[in-house]
């Protein structure tokens, strides 16, 4: 890795100032260290944000919960109240990497992590995401890649939490130019949808301070499918959330992970589900709508039936 | 003829590894733990190009970097430079040079400072089928990519197919498997005026010693190789390899010991691997259920080749066909190796057998289904040996085959259960008959065995202690075992599942001789057991040192085995979950039950990875290995491991045979058959990923050609 400075920020202002235009925030470091070691990033400074006040808290309000950006994935996994209130979120956290990774991984870092595309992560390929002029995956080994994208790069979003948050309609609160800017998951990843070189919509200096989850949806679920039973990225993941009353869905939301640079949500499907009774058939129709227009590449066509199954199963799981 | 004792206290029982306390407390120092005084880090610069020519290379800048004490060229490049030959690079990851320095980061920076001027060659090829094309770029300018492949025939295969009641055809493929022992390749090597000492992570201290002496132009007595503890080799660690030769040269130049351990990234590129296979099989049986005709056309890649870097046995692409468990009277077998621009192959746990078994045993099941016969009965009918027949019967009984086997695809529901089986016939496993060893018996009754074998984690030291304890009437704790040093009498390389069969008779010989001599010297008629101490005391001042050799009659070959698998396949998501493996194996006289079972557990877990997860992925555009890490080169972990039930057939009358390799042979084939049985269609290609299962089920839409 290239030499860099290291500083610990104790206030939000100093964090912003220290990180300037060419620095990086450092939370758990799971992602950052890997990127540094492979020369994929070369910040001039790493700004440790772990001493910023208040970011490690979970505040449980009646309308919404606030999850600080430094709360770890393991905390979410092990919090019995989260398991009760947002089971989909707890399940998404429990599937992240390994126990060791979950122990250090922060919510903010999980959302802001960089692409896992193996061309992006390879030290000797200059792909589009790294400023090259070619998406190698599009032409090559694309088994882990997107079915939908708004640009040439087909690297998908792989954050488990992003998928779960999207279904819960949670917002990341981003400190931008001294102001708190709420961003839906769609908005947080819009940058990656549009621009092959982006991993998300964050600009230099943007700091995720917390995530706010409305408590409106009392049922939620998350399912992922991987090659291996444990310690493996999702090939496809799915989260769903809704209110269930009298067997009918109310304000349902479905989000699919790993098939697009954004957690994949189709508003028409959410509307279709609204007010419906959950049956195999309804779930299946929703899955059709969500996957409509998918553009499979040579090796990732399997994600369509897999996502279809996961959407159906996750929806049915809402019934408990 | 000598024979193993009928009554034993330790042999064929369970003895925990005698070095377990050292290992679990961390006192054991593995090769990668060695920290010699003043040691330096060593690191290798590798080719970033799948094919290129080096126009010039200059190490001076690297040598001047802070903390850097030495830099050397790779042995191959140095040699070519000396001869004025082209400095051609043939694969991504090929060694170019190495540096030694006081820290890892100093080395990484120095590698970046090495000035290499290359002419990249875009004419490379990394996929087998591309390399076979007549107009494909040549990996070796003076030879075609596809090796010689004259068919071998027995009987009259063409007319035999006409006599068959059922014939199947299939194209079964297996990927390149990467060597990933827990401990990567490497050593600490120290070159002083007295000679070279190399603490090597090796499964062959003698072959590393000889190889190193040759590469460094030193007399053999100037090189000593030590391997106290090592973390696995699986066939890839017999030779010094360029990394050890460079470590020695760096040490010479820096006048300090150099520890050069490869990284996981290095490991994926250039330490050898298991070749791929693409097996076109046509097979037929007569109406009475006997195999009758077999046609086999296979190709695979050993990268740039097996070549000189190959140790410990077949690394080529040639598979055992027909698989030796069975006999087919009429056969035509054609096999070809295909060169590609990728790291070369080397021996890999049971070279050629897991892919050979996978292809043939898959075809066996397909044929049984077509004939409408039970796959186990079909196998018993066609098995060559009585042992195999017995193992299939016993396995079927333990597994509950009769109840579990259903017509393919007939299990109800979305998640379908299936069962399958396969066999192993491991033809090697015989002893190394040059094995020697010695024991020193001290007047206080303590006894130390010294053998130039190495314990690669399999429990070889414990085997020595067990046998000595039983033959001398002592306990294993009373036996001190020293191995892993070329200063001891020469032992076998730990490969081919030959170690136990080599050292056990040698210990027998040492013990017999020691007892005779001790009894003569002490005048005590039976020096064993309770008389041992008294007899030793009579030695007076001088210890007794007894030398022994491997002797005939106490070991043999081959080993066999069968495995049964039960899987669940989710037909909506394609996920395969292995629920249970039942394994029946034989290896003659079981020396230590518990470590033998461990070998089988490990073999099954490795075989399961081969069945479901492992695969080197090459990118044809850039020529790189895309998955040089454990994130995307997937290995089975705890969550994947099924219930494993091992049954060992103890056959003392056959003598000692090895087990390490046959244990991993049939697993992938058995799992593949279970998947086919579950879903009613075959996945013809390993690893059996959800993507391939869904494709086999016809659920995957075609790629949108506009976007690819
Ligand atoms: C082997 C492996 C397997 C994994 N498997 C999974 C998985 O299955 N599912 C999954 O979801 N994830 C997985 N991960 C990713 C892992 O969860 C993330 O790397 C981790 O959550 C990042 O958190 P961190 O605190 O360590 O982030 P860091 O590494 O500290 O930071 C990551 C990035 O986020 C930025 N950042 C950190 N905090 C903030 C903030 N508050 N505001 C703005 N930017 C910020 C950093 O600058 C950096 O760019 C895996 C990772 C590894 C290494």
């Amino acid at each position: 890795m290239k030499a860099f400075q290291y500083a610990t920020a104790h206030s939000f202002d100093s964090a912003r100032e220290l990180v300037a235009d060419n620095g990086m925030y450092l939370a758990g470091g799971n992602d950052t260290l890997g990127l540094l070691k492979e020369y994929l990033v070369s910040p001039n400074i790493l700004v440790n944000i772990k001493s910023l006040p208040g970011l490690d808290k979970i505040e449980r309000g009646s309308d919404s919960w606030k999850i600080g950006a430094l709360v770890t994935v393991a905390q979410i996994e092990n919090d019995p109240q989260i398991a009760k209130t947002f089971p989909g979120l707890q399940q998404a956290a429990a599937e992240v990497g390994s126990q060791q990774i979950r122990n250090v991984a922060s919510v903010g870092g999980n959302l802001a992590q960089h692409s896992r595309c193996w061309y992006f992560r390879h030290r000797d390929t200059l792909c589009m995401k790294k400023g090259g002029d070619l998406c190698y995956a599009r032409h090559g080994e694309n088994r882990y890649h997107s079915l939908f994208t708004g640009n040439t790069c087909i690297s998908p979003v792989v954050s488990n939490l992003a998928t779960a948050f999207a279904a819960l309609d949670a917002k990341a609160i981003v400190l931008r130019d001294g102001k708190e800017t709420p961003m839906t998951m769609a908005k947080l990843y819009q940058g990656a949808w549009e621009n092959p070189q982006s991993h998300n919509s964050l600009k230099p200096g943007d700091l995720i301070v917390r995530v706010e989850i409305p408590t409106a949806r009392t049922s939620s679920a998350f399912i992922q499918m991987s090659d291996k039973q444990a310690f493996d990225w999702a090939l496809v993941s799915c989260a769903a959330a809704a209110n269930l009353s009298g067997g009918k869905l109310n304000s349902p939301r479905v989000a699919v992970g790993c098939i697009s640079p954004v957690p994949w949500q189709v508003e028409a499907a959410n509307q279709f589900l609204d007010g419906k009774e959950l049956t195999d058939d309804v779930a299946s129709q929703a899955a059709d709508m969500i996957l409509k227009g998918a553009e499979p590449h040579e090796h990732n066509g399997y994600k369509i039936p897999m996502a279809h199954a996961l959407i159906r199963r996750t929806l049915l799981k809402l019934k408990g | 003829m000598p024979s193993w004792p009928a009554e034993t206290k330790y042999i064929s029982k369970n003895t925990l590894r005698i070095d377990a306390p050292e290992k679990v407390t961390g006192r054991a120092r593995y090769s990668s733990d060695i920290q010699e005084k003043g040691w330096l880090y060593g690191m290798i610069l590798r080719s970033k190009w799948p094919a290129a020519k080096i126009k010039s290379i200059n190490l001076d800048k690297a040598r001047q970097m802070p903390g850097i004490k030495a830099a050397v060229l790779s042995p191959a490049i140095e040699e070519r430079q000396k001869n004025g030959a082209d400095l051609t690079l043939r694969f991504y990851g090929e060694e170019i040079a190495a540096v030694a320095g006081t820290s890892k980061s100093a080395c990484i920076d120095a590698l970046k400072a090495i000035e290499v001027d290359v002419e990249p060659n875009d004419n490379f090829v990394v996929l087998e089928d591309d390399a076979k094309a007549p107009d494909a770029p040549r990996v070796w300018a003076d030879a075609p990519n596809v090796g010689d492949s004259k068919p071998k025939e027995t009987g009259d295969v063409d007319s035999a197919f006409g006599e068959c009641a059922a014939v199947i055809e299939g194209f079964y493929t297996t990927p390149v498997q990467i060597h990933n022992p827990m401990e990567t390749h490497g050593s600490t090597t120290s070159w002083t005026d007295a000679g070279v000492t190399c603490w090597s992570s090796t499964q062959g201290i003698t072959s590393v010693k000889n190889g190193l002496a040759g590469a460094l132009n030193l007399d053999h007595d100037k090189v000593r190789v030590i391997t106290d503890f090592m973390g696995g080799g699986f066939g890839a660690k017999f030779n010094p390899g360029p990394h050890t030769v460079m470590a020695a040269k760096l040490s010479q130049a820096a006048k300090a010991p150099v520890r050069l351990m490869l990284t996981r990234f290095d490991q994926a590129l250039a330490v050898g691997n298991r070749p791929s296979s693409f097996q076109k099989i046509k097979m037929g049986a007569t109406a009475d259920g006997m195999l009758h005709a077999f046609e086999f056309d296979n190709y695979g890649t050993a990268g740039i080749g097996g070549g000189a870097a190959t140790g410990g046995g077949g690394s080529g692409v040639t598979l055992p066909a027909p698989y030796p468990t069975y006999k087919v009277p009429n056969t035509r077998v054609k096999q070809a190796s295909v060169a590609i621009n990728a790291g070369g192959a080397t021996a890999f746990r049971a070279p050629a057998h897991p892919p050979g078994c996978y292809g043939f045993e898959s075809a066996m099941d397909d044929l049984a289904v077509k004939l409408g016969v039970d796959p186990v009965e079909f196998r018993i009918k066609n098995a060559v040996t009585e042992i195999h027949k017995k193992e299939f019967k016993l396995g079927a009984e333990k597994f509950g085959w009769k109840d579990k086997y259903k017509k393919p695809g007939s299990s109800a529901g979305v998640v379908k259960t299936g069962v399958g089986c396969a066999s192993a016939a491991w033809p090697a496993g015989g002893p190394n008959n040059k094995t020697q060893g010695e024991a020193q018996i001290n007047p206080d009754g303590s006894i130390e065995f010294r053998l130039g074998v190495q314990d690669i984690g399999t429990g070889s030291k414990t085997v020595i202690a067990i046998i000595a304890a039983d033959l001398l009437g002592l306990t294993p704790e009373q036996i001190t075992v020293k191995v892993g040093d070329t200063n001891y009498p020469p032992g076998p390389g730990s490969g081919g599942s030959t170690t136990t069969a080599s050292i056990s008779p040698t210990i027998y010989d040492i013990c017999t001789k020691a007892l005779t001599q001790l009894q003569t010297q002490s005048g005590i008629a039976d020096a064993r057991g309770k008389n041992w101490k008294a007899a030793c005391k009579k030695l007076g001042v001088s210890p007794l040192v007894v030398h022994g050799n491997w002797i005939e009659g106490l070991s043999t070959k081959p080993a066999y085995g069968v495995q049964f698998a039960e899987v669940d396949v989710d037909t909506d998501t394609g996920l395969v979950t292995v629920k249970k493996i039942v394994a029946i194996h034989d290896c003659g006289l079981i020396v230590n039950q518990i470590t033998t079972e461990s070998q089988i557990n490990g073999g099954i877990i490795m075989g399961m990875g081969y069945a479901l997860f492992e695969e080197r992925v090459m990118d044809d555009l850039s020529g790189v290995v895309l998955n040089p890490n454990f994130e995307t080169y997937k290995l089975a972990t705890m969550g994947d491991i099924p219930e494993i039930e091992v049954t060992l057939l103890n056959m003392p009358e056959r003598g000692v045979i090895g087990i390490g390799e046959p244990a991993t042979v049939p697993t992938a084939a058995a799992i593949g058959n279970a998947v086919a049985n579950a879903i009613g269609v075959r996945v013809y290609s390993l690893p059996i990923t959800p993507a391939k299962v869904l494709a086999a089920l016809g659920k995957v839409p075609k790629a949108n050609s506009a976007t690819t």
Side-chain angles (χ1 to χ4, degrees), chain B residues 595-650:
Chain B
T595 48
T596 308
E597 284 171 3
S598 285
Q599 281 299 304
I600 296 170
N601 287 331
I604 287 168
I605 294 164
M606 193 179 242
M608 196 184 123
Y610 189 56
L612 302 181
F613 310 128
E614 292 189 46
E615 168 184 23
R616 182 183 74 186
V617 182
M618 303 293 302
D619 179 52
D620 63 344
L621 207 54
S622 59
V624 306
V625 175
L626 276 176
N627 54 349
N629 53 57
F630 285 169
E631 180 187 337
T632 44
Y633 188 88
K634 302 186 179 186
L635 294 167
T637 54
M638 267 315 181
D640 303 299
I641 297 167
E643 180 191 347
I644 298 174
E645 189 184 313
V646 178
T647 301
L648 292 169
L649 301 184
N650 194 12

Side-chain angles (χ1 to χ4, degrees), chain B residues 644-684:
Chain B
I644 298 174
E645 189 184 313
V646 178
T647 301
L648 292 169
L649 301 184
N650 194 12
M651 304 183 201
E653 66 286 359
R654 296 189 71 206
V656 178
I657 311 175
I659 190 66
E661 286 166 297
T664 202
V665 171
T667 316
I671 291 172
N673 283 337
V675 171
N677 176 248
I679 63 178
V681 284
R682 180 159 295 277
V683 176
Y684 283 98

